[in-house]
Structures are given as C-alpha cells and as structure tokens.
Amino acid sequence: MDSQGTSFSENEMLKALYDFQAIYPKTISFDEGEYFILHQTSARQRNWWQVVSMKGNIGFVPSNYVMKLKVEPEFLVGFLDSSIESLKLSTDEEVNGIINRMELIQRLEERKKRAFLALKKSPEVNNHLPGESTHSSVMMQKVERHDAKSAITKKSLSSPAVGVQPPPQPIQESPSLGVLAAKLDDVSISEPSETTHTTTSDSEITTISKGEENSQKIVSPPSAFNNRNATVPTHNGGPEDAQNHLDDVDVDKRGFSEVNRITSDDVYLIVDSIRLNTNLSHTDSCIALRTVLTEVGTLLPHIAPQLETVASHLNSEPLVAPDNLLGDTHDSRRLRAIFADLADCKNDSEQRSWMLFEDEDEIIQYLTVLNGILKNADPKICCYEMSCDHYQSIINLVQYYQMETRWTIRRLLLDAFKAICQLDYTAVDVLLGSVLPTELIQDMTSNSSNVERLKELAMMMTMIFSIGLKMPVTHEEHFGKDFLLFVLNIIECPPATDINEILPDVMINLVLSFNLQFDHFANSVVLDAFREMRSAKTFTEKLLMLINRETDPVRMLKHTTPFVNSVLKMIVDLFGAPETASLFYSNDNKVLIDILVRQLSDLSPEDPLRRWYLELCRRILRNTDYPDHTHRKQDLMKIFTRIFCEEAESSLKDQQLVREIANEFPQIFKA
C-alpha cells in the first residue's frame, strides 16, 4: 500500500475507537471496534486517512477516531480475503468514486501476498498450513471469533459490501458530536507535538495475540478537551478540501495555531440537532444551546473562549436558517412529505363520491404533526417550504378544506391556516384570494348555534382580513349586508350557550378587521348594515373601552403593522353620517371628546393618528348634538391654537384640517 505522511508496518491495522457517521463525500461511516487497513495518508490531509474496510469499501476516516495496532499475519490475511471477495462480487467500475475496482483488487492481492509470506515465516503456523484457501477460511474464522470475544464490534452501517445497495439511510441532520467537538477544538491554543498529528507512539501500539485481545490502550474520545490537533472540514467541505482550511492557519513563533472560526451554518446545525432529538421548538433549542455553552464555560474556563465562538452566533435574534441549508433540514423534509400526503388525501376526496371514514385517524395525525412544525420550527424554513411552487401547498390545503365535511379535520386545518398566517404575509393574501373566506361564511351561517365552532371560524376570518387588503370581487356577493347583520345580531344577542360571553368580542374583532378594506371617506357594506341596526349598545360600548385603552385587537400578526388602529377607523366611519352616529349615546360622545382631547394633547405632528383624531373631532361636531353642550370647548380651542403655531412642515396637513374645522363651525370657535 502507498502510505505517505506517517509510518505503518506491514502487520499494522487500524481499529475504530468510536462510532462515526459520514457526512462528507468520499468518507465512510463506521462503528466502534471496526477494523481497517490503511490505504493512503497524506501530509496535506494529515487528519483524514484513506482506508479499506473488511467489506471492500474505501474512503476517508478521521485519524483521531482510529488507533493503530499490530496484528498477527493470519488476522490480516483473513481480513484481506474478505475485502477481495466482496470486491469481486461487485459490478461497479469504481469504489466510492475514489479508485478503479480492479486496481484496488490488485493492490489488495499484493498486500495479501506479502502478509501470507510473513505468515509462512511465522514458526507458530509454518508447520501446519494445509493450503492458502483453507488457511484463508481459518483466518476469517479467527477474525470472527476475535470480534465476538472483544464484544465491541457492532453491525456496520458504514462499510456495506461494495456493489450491494444498502438500505436508504436518513440524511444526516447535523455533524456528529465528535466532529463538532473536534471543530470546537480547532480554535483552541495549545503547544503542538511534532508527531501527535501524524503518528502514534510505540507505547500506543499493542499486539493482538492469543489471550491479549483486551490489552489495547483505552483512549478518551476525541473532543474539545483532548483532541487538540484534529482538523475537521467545515460543513461545505470534505477531506479533499482539507488543504483549503489549512491555508488559513497562522502559526506564531511560539508554535500556537488557530484555524477558521466556526460558522453560523455549523451552529445552526447544532440547534437543528437539538430540536430533532428533544422536540423543543426552534427558539427553545437556541436557548438550550446557549444555556449549555454558558454552564460548560463556567465549569471549564480553559475552553470558554472556544465556546464563546459558538455562542456569538446565538446573540443575534432570531437565529434563522442560512440560505444554503433551506430545504435540507429535518423540518423541511417533514413539511414536504406532509404537504404531499395531504395533497394525496385531497385528490382521493376528489375521486370518490362518498366519504371513507377509515382514514380519519391518519389524516388527523398528519395535521397534528404539521401544526407542530408550523408553530415550533424555524419560521424561515416554514416560509420557504410554503412558498414553493407559488404556494401550491397552501392552495391544496384550502381545496381539501372545501371538500372535507368532518369538523375534527376542518378544525385542525383551521389551526394550520392560523399558523400559516402568523408566518407569511403573502400566504395571508393567498388565503384571502382563495375560496376559504366563502367556505368560512357558509360554515358560520350553517352552524349559528354552535358557539365553539363560530369562535374558531370568526377568528380565522379575522386573521385573513387583518392585513387590510381588499377582498376579491368574487367574494362581495357572499360578504354582503346580510352577513354583516348576521354577525351584528350575534354581538347584540349572543346565544344562550355562550357561557363565557367571549363570542361577542370575537365577532366585534371580525367586523373591525373586515372594515379595514374600505376607505373611511366612502360608504361600505359595513355602514349599510349599521344603518339598519336600531341599537348597537354592546358594539359601541366595546369600541369606547378599546379606544380608551388604545388597544387594537385586530393586530394579530407579527409581520403586519396596520396603517391605522382598526378601532379608531371604525369610530370615524360610524360618525361619518348622522344615522350611524346616532348609535352612540350623548354621554358616549362626551367620553369620546375626552379621549380625543387627551390624544391630541399628546400626539406629535409626525404621528398619523393625530390626523385621524382631528377628523373624528370634525365628524362629532358635524353629526351629533355637540353644539347643544360644547363639551371641552376651551380645551379644543387651545389644541387648535397650538397646532396653528407649530412651524414644522409635518404640521401643514393638520393645520389645514384645523382651519377647515374652525371655518365650518365659526359659532363654536370664533365666538
């Protein structure tokens, strides 16, 4: 074998000290206790050794995961026999994309001949060699007996017989802990030995002989504490790229070295692994990692700087998936699979004329997992998967909702839609333009006595309309005056089954969100419905309470900032005409004037809300009995005078509005 960069004798092999899962091209996975023969080492890639397994596979392994040891010639011959036989059974021209299969067989045959010659020279076996083939069988039996006796060789996941297709393995979610620990240690400062990174001292080499299988030296796992010379590639590189990373090493006069810092990609993969193994949310996984790093740094101050390298990527909120990892995380793959399965359920529903209830449990399980991912995963991952193919996955869910009649499933779909709305503004627009709003109306009117169902449906509709976009023209015939009257009647006369009296509040929020799409200077279907209301006591009292608290219940989405407070807009719209303004009592009007005096005294010229309150003031003066009581007249005059005296350019529009109010009501402000 061609070996460079380190010294190996003919009867030396490698044995795995720990499990290793390959995540880079041309590397191989292996289990603790597995044996290899060294095929090649390189001074350029001194921390990755090219080895051949007993099943004939060839690839790179991290040198700090294996130990060098002497073996008896018969052990080596049996090992080589097994490798050669596996390669001969293969039909592949190349092995792992590294070497031609026939060339590897030839090299192993040459190695076997040398090992067999050494075996013949051995006085222990020289007198009883029945023949090469029989001896090879005996050697393999000894290999198997040795592995059984050592009790540490497990079923290999990494070195399948060459040419035989292994069962599909799950895509690696994150680097193994050993590799990450080695990466952590890359940035540690230590005094390197001249030989520790390429060779193993003679004291660490033991001989496998009869009765001495357990005499191997016990070595601690490679980690940030004892593996100070390992160089492991970053996420985007493999052993072939090791030289690119070594180019960044800067060695000072004292022999101290430091490699590239850990990237945000690496830290994100750790967080992803924590989420996968603990079922914590993405946010909680970040907190967990930050907590562990802090505590470990306290216990082990000498590695605190290295841990801070990782923690520095967690200081910026939020930690989101790098673009190159989108679609490659565990949550991404699960979302794609669930969206595809639910699309199949939708297609099945289209193709049958009756409902099959045997699939209910399975669909509920799909939707439960989907909702968990949408609420707990990295929002960037969810948005990426939802937006694929022009949000086709969301459209499929809406179509499935339209065809599904079972409330148990529909309710879970509503939960999914709510989570989707919280994640992506465009997704809300997609839902607004879909058939979902009309399906919600039909469901509400058909189940008017089911309080819990009405709440869920109204909350969903409120969320869709909360962004303030105009609904499609096709929806107008469904969202007419009759539907608004249906909602207003529930507000004023809720069902007796509404024990907690929550339904009116939910319905009020629906009216507020629906009203956002109409310009406040024009009539709307909302105002048309209020004109037919003889009383709206519950609605108006709720509006006064909300405007006094300066809260907006429609502000439900984190990614959306409404252009105006929906409560303030509703009040301004209602005071736009005497018939709708009359829904407020005289005392209500005085309370409103108290509130707007307070707000006009506090708001700055740059705040757009000040113009809304000035408009409300004009409409109260115009469409109520204010001239009869002139409540807070002097305070209003002081506010108008102060606005007139402002010199900022941002005050010009407000000054114009105040001038119009004063000119319209000279009997009040010019007396």
Side-chain angles (χ1 to χ4, degrees):
M1 288 293 157
D2 181 20
S3 297
Q4 303 171 4
T6 188
S7 59
F8 270 77
S9 62
E10 283 294 328
N11 63 334
E12 287 179 359
M13 295 182 65
L14 299 172
K15 183 175 182 179
L17 297 171
Y18 326 101
D19 295 345
F20 176 78
Q21 183 66 38
I23 58 174
Y24 304 112
K26 299 183 181 180
T27 60
I28 59 174
S29 303
F30 52 83
D31 294 318
E32 178 185 351
E34 194 169 344
Y35 291 87
F36 308 97
I37 58 171
L38 184 70
H39 183 258
Q40 186 174 358
T41 63
S42 170
R44 296 181 61 190
Q45 301 177 5
R46 60 175 179 264
N47 296 291
W48 290 91
W49 290 348
Q50 197 179 83
V51 300
V52 179
S53 72
M54 190 168 65
K55 294 185 179 180
N57 200 10
I58 185 172
F60 290 89
V61 300
S63 60
N64 56 323
Y65 271 58
V66 295
M67 70 175 295
K68 185 169 62 171
L69 71 167
K70 293 179 181 179
V71 299
E72 293 178 347
E74 58 182 8
F75 186 96
L76 179 58
V77 171
F79 182 98
L80 291 168
D81 250 351
S82 177
S83 297
I84 293 170
E85 288 299 320
S86 296
L87 287 167
K88 287 181 178 178
L89 293 174
S90 171
T91 58
D92 298 333
E93 293 185 2
E94 286 194 346
V95 185
N96 203 14
I98 294 177
I99 188 173
N100 182 274
R101 180 172 60 89
M102 297 308 298
E103 182 181 352
L104 180 57
I105 292 176
Q106 183 180 357
R107 293 193 181 188
L108 293 177
E109 290 281 7
E110 293 174 358
R111 177 74 179 269
K112 177 185 170 183
K113 289 179 182 179
R114 295 197 299 270
F116 200 77
L117 289 175
L119 180 62
K120 288 182 178 180
K121 295 178 182 179
S122 173
E124 215 177 272
V125 297
N126 194 36
N127 297 325
H128 48 81
L129 289 177
E132 182 176 351
S133 60
T134 305
H135 179 74
S136 297
S137 176
V138 173
M139 295 307 102
M140 281 309 303
Q141 293 175 13
K142 289 192 176 185
V143 171
E144 294 170 359
R145 286 200 303 271
H146 170 74
D147 288 344
K149 182 181 288 187
S150 63
I152 56 176
T153 300
K154 298 178 283 185
K155 182 178 180 181
S156 174
L157 299 174
S158 62
S159 303
V162 178
V164 178
Q165 292 296 328
Q169 298 292 329
I171 299 175
Q172 181 71 12
E173 300 296 341
S174 61
S176 65
L177 294 179
V179 174
L180 285 171
K183 289 197 68 175
L184 269 175
D185 205 61
D186 283 344
V187 297
S188 66
I189 299 178
S190 62
E191 297 183 4
S193 169
E194 293 181 0
T195 58
T196 52
H197 61 280
T198 57
T199 64
T200 306
S201 65
D202 292 340
S203 62
E204 294 178 343
I205 302 176
T206 60
T207 303
I208 294 183
S209 59
K210 297 179 180 179
E212 295 181 352
E213 291 87 347
N214 297 322
S215 64
Q216 301 165 26
K217 179 178 179 180
I218 298 176
V219 184
S220 301
S223 67
F225 312 114
N226 56 26
N227 182 30
R228 299 190 176 276
N229 297 290
T231 303
V232 182
T234 57
H235 176 73
N236 294 322
E240 304 99 311
D241 302 321
Q243 184 60 35
N244 296 333
H245 297 276
L246 292 175
D247 290 339
D248 296 318
V249 177
D250 180 24
V251 182
D252 62 16
K253 294 180 180 180
R254 297 173 296 171
F256 293 93
S257 63
E258 182 178 353
V259 299
N260 286 338
R261 295 181 56 140
I262 293 176
T263 66
S264 59
D265 291 22
D266 302 314
V267 178
Y268 188 88
L269 287 172
I270 302 175
V271 172
D272 189 53
S273 181
I274 293 174
R275 167 158 165 70
L276 171 62
N277 289 283
T278 63
N279 204 30
L280 292 173
S281 68
H282 174 72
T283 301
D284 288 343
S285 297
C286 294
I287 295 173
L289 177 57
R290 190 182 297 110
T291 303
V292 169
L293 292 173
T294 301
E295 295 301 322
V296 173
T298 303
L299 290 173
L300 303 169
H302 61 284
I303 65 165
Q306 288 73 48
L307 298 178
E308 290 174 2
T309 303
V310 179
S312 64
H313 295 283
L314 297 169
N315 294 332
S316 58
E317 295 290 348
L319 178 67
V320 297
D323 292 341
N324 61 302
L325 294 181
L326 291 175
D328 289 335
T329 66
H330 181 67
D331 287 322
S332 296
R333 288 188 290 276
R334 287 202 298 171
L335 279 176
R336 284 197 297 273
I338 293 173
F339 283 144
D341 290 337
L342 291 174
D344 291 339
C345 294
K346 183 260 296 184
N347 295 333
D348 290 343
S349 299
E350 289 177 338
Q351 296 169 7
R352 62 195 185 202
S353 57
W354 67 93
M355 183 59 62
L356 299 179
F357 287 87
E358 289 79 4
D359 62 351
E360 183 171 355
D361 291 341
E362 183 179 356
I363 296 173
I364 288 176
Q365 184 177 3
Y366 279 134
L367 291 172
T368 302
V369 175
L370 172 63
N371 291 332
I373 297 174
L374 292 175
K375 294 174 183 177
N376 296 318
D378 181 356
K380 186 176 179 180
I381 293 292
C382 296
C383 292
Y384 173 79
E385 293 298 333
M386 292 189 307
S387 64
C388 291
D389 197 16
H390 305 287
Y391 292 88
Q392 185 60 47
S393 58
I394 296 179
I395 296 173
N396 289 338
L397 289 179
V398 172
Q399 292 173 347
Y400 182 43
Y401 182 91
Q402 185 181 18
M403 290 179 290
E404 183 59 65
T405 59
R406 292 165 286 188
W407 174 242
T408 53
I409 295 178
R410 275 198 159 195
R411 182 168 187 171
L412 289 173
L413 284 168
L414 289 177
D415 289 341
F417 293 139
K418 292 173 186 175
I420 288 170
C421 288
Q422 291 287 357
L423 290 167
D424 190 347
Y425 178 91
T426 305
V428 186
D429 193 13
V430 171
L431 292 176
L432 176 62
S434 70
V435 298
L436 181 60
T438 58
E439 285 295 318
L440 296 174
I441 285 183
Q442 184 177 353
D443 208 347
M444 289 179 66
T445 54
S446 301
N447 299 275
S448 57
S449 60
N450 190 330
V451 173
E452 291 302 320
R453 191 161 180 168
L454 283 175
K455 290 177 185 176
E456 294 292 330
L457 296 168
M459 289 174 63
M460 182 74 256
M461 201 179 301
T462 301
M463 198 169 286
I464 294 175
F465 285 113
S466 67
I467 59 176
L469 295 180
K470 292 184 179 297
M471 62 182 176
V473 178
T474 54
H475 291 1
E476 291 181 359
E477 60 177 299
H478 300 280
F479 287 88
K481 181 174 62 176
D482 291 340
F483 173 70
L484 267 298
L485 286 172
F486 167 78
V487 174
L488 292 174
N489 285 328
I490 292 178
I491 294 172
E492 300 302 322
C493 302
T497 53
D498 185 22
I499 301 176
N500 297 322
E501 299 181 354
I502 297 178
L503 188 58
D505 290 347
V506 175
M507 291 299 180
I508 289 172
N509 296 344
L510 172 57
V511 176
L512 294 176
S513 65
F514 185 73
N515 186 60
L516 285 175
Q517 64 185 299
F518 301 104
D519 188 273
H520 70 282
F521 289 108
N523 289 331
S524 69
V525 65
V526 179
L527 297 180
D528 291 340
F530 273 108
R531 288 188 181 96
E532 297 195 10
M533 295 288 293
R534 292 185 177 182
S535 173
K537 182 175 182 294
T538 302
F539 189 86
T540 54
E541 287 179 353
K542 184 68 174 181
L543 290 185
L544 289 174
M545 183 188 70
L546 292 172
I547 195 67
N548 186 52
R549 295 178 179 177
E550 301 178 41
T551 58
D552 187 356
V554 172
R555 187 169 294 186
M556 309 171 70
L557 305 180
K558 301 175 183 178
H559 51 70
T560 304
T561 302
F563 65 94
V564 65
N565 184 296
S566 65
V567 180
L568 178 57
K569 182 183 185 303
M570 186 78 256
I571 294 175
V572 171
D573 289 346
L574 288 174
F575 277 94
E579 56 267 34
T580 51
S582 64
L583 294 173
F584 292 85
Y585 298 121
S586 296
N587 190 57
D588 294 340
N589 297 336
K590 293 180 180 179
V591 171
L592 270 177
I593 292 174
D594 290 336
I595 294 172
L596 68 86
V597 165
R598 183 188 71 207
Q599 294 292 349
L600 290 174
S601 300
D602 296 338
L603 294 173
S604 64
E606 293 80 14
D607 197 324
L609 285 180
R610 191 169 81 165
R611 196 166 303 117
W612 280 88
Y613 279 105
L614 287 171
E615 179 62 31
L616 175 59
C617 179
R618 174 162 65 177
R619 295 190 177 201
I620 291 175
L621 298 178
R622 180 188 294 168
N623 297 316
T624 69
D625 59 351
Y626 181 81
D628 296 338
H629 55 76
T630 62
H631 181 65
R632 304 289 295 268
K633 170 185 173 181
Q634 295 301 321
D635 293 321
L636 289 175
M637 292 182 66
K638 291 179 181 178
I639 291 172
F640 289 175
T641 302
R642 178 174 58 80
I643 294 176
F644 269 128
C645 296
E646 292 175 350
E647 298 180 357
E649 186 176 352
S650 56
S651 301
L652 294 178
K653 291 184 178 181
D654 291 350
Q655 290 171 350
Q656 176 62 28
L657 186 53
V658 169
R659 189 176 295 107
E660 292 174 2
I661 295 173
N663 292 335
E664 185 175 353
F665 305 100
Q667 72 277 16
I668 298 177
F669 297 105
K670 295 184 179 180

